[in-house]
């Protein structure tokens, strides 16, 4: 008996709360929650977990404008409209590799996004090497580029950088980004101060196993990265920053678009389970902000055999994801 047949036999209630140990077969995960061997190696956050990204021709043209102009794309819209997924979709369609992600919070700085220098680690390793009579480690082993710095590593193809929820950062963060975005380069002072014979240094990058060459302490891109900046509209950005971005407002999906999203992620057969759920979802979304992935979660559970009403299912799923309902 394979895992799917065993799951169908045991039903969807894996945990029963009766204290009785039992062997259960874990059911297949949703397409967007597959990791490791369930996704292509090294691509669990991109194409392997990304169904076709649905976007209107008009909005796709805005993305193309940013690509042609080599300008950051500032994407706004309600939660669940696909802002962050857009970066992965662009990287997948254009064959630009893994997305570099910079999740912004109130403590984020441009400095940390560019590079980090582990001075304490270098001092410790140097002391140990000297005590053993071995050669001191090079400084490059203690400098690691952050997602923004890695995005600027010279390459014949641009890299994709997702700056997620920039509006959660410090009020000065957008202005601090302007110089880097305009010049496409930055300096690492710790390397710039090295003598001429040490002017070429290989440093670590955000990507596992990759190293980048830094000359005279400066790193400059050859192709400006594809930068996708998301914002939930929690605050306004400075005019100077907005002027240097191409802006895209993603609309809240209507009923037709929601059906298309369900089909893209879960297949045509999932539409058989969507009518009641969609009706309740749309009614509740009109009263408060709900995300599209909450509907997808409910449809996925219903397709897996959850034997509760649409109202009960959405009550449980939306309560868990969105707080009090």
């Amino acid at each position: 008996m394979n895992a799917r047949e065993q799951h169908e036999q045991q039903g969807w209630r894996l945990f029963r709360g009766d204290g009785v140990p039992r062997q259960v077969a874990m059911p297949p995960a949703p397409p967007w929650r597959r990791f490791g061997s369930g996704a292509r190696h090294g691509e669990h956050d991109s194409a392997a977990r990304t169904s076709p990204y649905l976007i209107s021709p008009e909005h796709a043209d805005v993305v193309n404008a940013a690509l042609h102009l080599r300008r950051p794309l500032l994407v706004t819209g309600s939660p669940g409209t696909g802002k962050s997924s857009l970066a992965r979709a662009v990287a997948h369609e254009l064959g630009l590799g893994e997305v570099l992600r910079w999740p912004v919070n109130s403590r984020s700085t441009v400095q940390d996004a560019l590079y980090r220098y582990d001075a304490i680690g270098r001092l410790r390793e140097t002391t140990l090497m000297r005590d053993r009579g071995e050669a001191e480690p090079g400084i490059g082993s203690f400098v690691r580029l952050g997602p923004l710095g890695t995005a600027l590593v010279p390459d014949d193809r641009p890299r994709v950088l997702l700056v997620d929820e920039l509006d959660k950062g410090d009020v000065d963060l957008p202005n601090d980004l302007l110089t880097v975005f305009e010049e496409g380069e930055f300096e690492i002072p710790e390397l710039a101060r090295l003598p001429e014979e040490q002017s070429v240094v290989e440093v670590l990058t955000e990507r596992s196993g990759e190293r980048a060459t830094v000359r005279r302490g400066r790193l400059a891109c050859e192709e400006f990265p594809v930068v996708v900046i998301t914002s939930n509209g929690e605050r306004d950005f400075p005019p100077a920053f907005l002027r240097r971005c191409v802006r895209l407002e993603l609309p809240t999906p209507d009923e037709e678009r929601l059906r298309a999203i369900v089909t893209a992620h879960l297949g045509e057969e999932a539409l058989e389970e969507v009518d009641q759920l969609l009706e309740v979802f749309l009614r509740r979304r009109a009263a408060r902000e709900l995300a599209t992935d909450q509907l997808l979660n409910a449809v996925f559970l219903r397709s897996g055999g959850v034997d509760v009403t649409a109202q009960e299912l959405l009550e449980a799923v939306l309560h868990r994801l969105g707080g009090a309902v």
Side-chain angles (χ1 to χ4, degrees):
M1 181 184 298
N2 61 36
R4 182 176 296 275
E5 291 171 340
Q6 187 174 346
H7 170 60
E8 291 174 353
Q9 180 175 321
Q10 72 191 9
W12 81 279
R13 289 186 173 87
L14 308 177
F15 172 73
R16 299 177 184 271
D18 55 11
V20 178
R22 56 178 60 85
Q23 293 291 325
V24 300
M26 292 299 293
W32 54 90
R33 293 296 298 167
R34 292 174 185 169
F35 301 87
S37 60
R40 278 183 283 171
H41 179 68
E43 297 182 5
H44 66 269
D45 71 336
S46 55
R49 281 168 52 197
T50 304
S51 298
Y53 187 84
L54 301 180
I55 187 171
S56 70
E58 294 79 10
H59 294 140
D61 285 344
V62 178
V63 177
N64 284 309
L67 294 174
H68 282 281
L69 295 172
R70 307 301 199 273
R71 288 289 185 183
L73 180 69
L74 176 59
V75 187
T76 56
S78 302
T81 52
K83 299 187 296 296
S84 300
S85 300
L86 178 57
R88 293 190 288 269
V90 172
H92 173 54
E93 283 197 23
L94 303 185
L96 298 179
E98 180 185 356
V99 174
L100 297 161
R101 184 170 179 264
W102 177 21
V104 175
N105 57 49
S106 60
R107 300 178 301 278
S108 296
T109 65
V110 172
Q111 169 70 43
D112 289 338
L114 288 172
Y115 77 97
R116 297 176 296 278
Y117 172 51
D118 185 6
I120 295 176
R122 185 189 182 198
L123 177 61
R124 182 176 61 248
E125 288 296 317
T126 299
T127 301
L128 290 174
M129 293 294 192
R130 285 175 178 173
D131 291 345
R132 294 198 293 259
E134 301 175 359
E136 297 181 10
I139 189 174
S141 298
F142 303 95
V143 176
R144 180 179 292 277
L145 302 180
L148 177 56
T150 302
L152 296 173
V153 170
D155 203 342
D156 58 353
R157 296 275 285 168
R159 298 165 184 241
V160 179
L161 171 67
L162 171 62
V163 183
D164 212 8
E165 298 188 329
L166 181 62
D167 50 337
K168 292 188 180 300
D170 183 81
V171 66
D172 293 324
L173 187 58
N175 282 331
D176 294 341
L177 281 169
L178 287 180
T179 299
V180 178
F181 283 161
E182 287 301 294
E183 297 182 359
E185 64 178 20
F186 66 98
E187 182 182 72
I188 302 177
E190 292 84 354
L191 303 185
R193 292 193 292 264
L194 294 174
E196 182 64 27
E197 61 270 18
Q198 300 178 36
S199 61
V200 179
V201 180
E202 283 198 346
V203 301
L204 304 170
T205 76
E206 184 82 357
R207 291 176 172 172
S208 178
E210 181 186 64
R211 286 181 173 266
T213 302
V214 181
R215 291 178 170 80
R216 295 181 174 82
R218 297 197 69 83
L219 193 149
C221 68
E222 293 179 358
E223 279 286 342
F224 187 77
V226 177
V227 180
V228 177
I229 304 171
T230 72
S231 169
N232 290 322
E234 294 184 4
R235 63 176 175 82
D236 295 330
F237 295 120
F241 176 79
L242 294 176
R243 191 169 62 249
R244 290 166 172 82
C245 295
V246 175
R247 302 174 66 178
L248 172 62
E249 173 79 22
L250 291 179
T252 301
D254 57 15
E255 180 176 348
E256 181 180 356
R257 180 54 60 91
L258 287 172
R259 290 180 180 276
I261 291 173
V262 169
T263 302
H265 283 274
L266 299 172
E268 291 280 353
E269 61 276 7
L271 290 178
E272 300 174 4
E273 310 291 343
V274 81
D275 286 335
Q276 278 187 310
L277 291 170
L278 187 56
E279 179 184 348
V280 176
F281 178 83
L282 289 172
R283 185 170 64 249
R284 300 182 61 150
R285 191 180 68 177
R288 62 186 297 271
E289 206 170 62
L290 297 177
T292 303
D293 59 353
Q294 292 172 292
L295 174 64
L296 285 173
N297 287 335
V299 175
F300 179 80
L301 290 176
R302 172 60 67 81
S303 300
V306 177
D307 53 352
V308 294
T309 68
Q311 183 72 28
E312 291 171 335
L313 182 56
L314 283 172
E315 284 282 353
V317 173
L318 299 187
H319 176 75
R320 296 295 184 270
L321 295 178
V325 291

